[in-house]
Amino acid sequence: HQLARQVMQTTTLILLGTIHPDTIAAGGLAVRISVSTNILSAVMLTVGISISMAQGAGDHKRISSLYWNGLYLAIALSLLSFIWFSNAHYLLTAIDIPPDVVADTQRCLDIMRWAAPAQIITLGLMRGVLPAFGLARILYALTPLTFILYVGASLGLARGIFGLPPMGWLAVPLALTIVNWLSALVMLAMVHGTD
């Protein structure tokens, strides 16, 4: 799953370079800043371990409590990520990044911040919870599907599919946000379907 995240980050840079080469610097900065979400997601892995231990002990009541507490923690961590993404331009300005690059980076992050809850749920909570519930196969099935959907949606939205106006390079962070939410909702549905 971690390798898939690296591929997705590399693909994001390739898509930005293909759609609008001038945004590669801003896209690279946005991707580097978004790594903070991966770090916050790592906190969530303990939830899956705790659920596995509770399952082994046959403590089903504790499993439900751990899961819901993990979901609430994911929401709290995503709020931190959202705030960071919303204010990253202050740091970029302080370290003398050119103003046009700062502006484009912030435009990208202003879209990507809406994916923070979905990313923390999928990268953190679900990566630990799905295997604990015997649903690890969902991770393996969704990874290639979300990648294909991401690339297709990025290129399609950039060029204006279904009569939509062409969005240019901003289609890339938008597609990333949409795909992250679709993936998170599928995983949540699978977990809640096991109750």
Side-chain angles (χ1 to χ4, degrees), residues 31-189:
V31 166
R32 288 296 97 206
I33 290 168
S34 71
V35 169
S36 62
T37 304
N38 298 359
I39 295 166
L40 291 174
S41 297
V43 173
M44 302 299 303
L45 293 177
T46 58
V47 176
I49 294 167
S50 298
I51 287 175
S52 293
M53 290 171 62
Q55 277 184 324
D59 190 351
H60 298 292
K61 185 176 180 181
R62 188 161 173 258
I63 292 170
S64 178
S65 174
L66 286 166
Y67 171 75
W68 284 105
N69 286 335
L71 197 54
Y72 299 142
L73 179 58
I75 292 166
L77 291 175
S78 67
L79 182 60
L80 286 175
S81 190
F82 189 93
I83 292 167
W84 161 231
F85 279 30
S86 300
N87 294 286
H89 62 281
Y90 292 118
L91 175 63
L92 298 177
T93 301
I95 58 173
D96 290 329
I97 302 293
D100 57 329
V101 176
V102 171
D104 282 344
T105 302
Q106 193 58 53
R107 287 174 70 196
C108 190
L109 290 171
D110 284 345
I111 297 170
M112 291 172 68
R113 66 186 175 183
W114 295 102
Q119 284 186 312
I120 290 175
I121 287 170
T122 57
L123 283 178
L125 184 63
M126 292 300 160
R127 192 168 54 164
V129 167
L130 287 172
F133 288 150
L135 298 170
R137 67 188 181 282
I138 300 303
L139 292 171
Y140 300 116
L142 279 177
T143 299
L145 290 175
T146 54
F147 178 76
I148 292 166
L149 182 60
Y150 171 53
V151 172
S154 293
L155 295 173
L157 290 170
R159 296 179 181 136
I161 58 169
F162 304 121
L164 293 171
M167 296 186 65
W169 70 276
L170 290 175
V172 176
L174 179 61
L176 185 66
T177 300
I178 291 168
V179 167
N180 273 308
W181 271 109
L182 288 174
S183 182
L185 291 172
V186 168
M187 291 181 187
L188 285 166

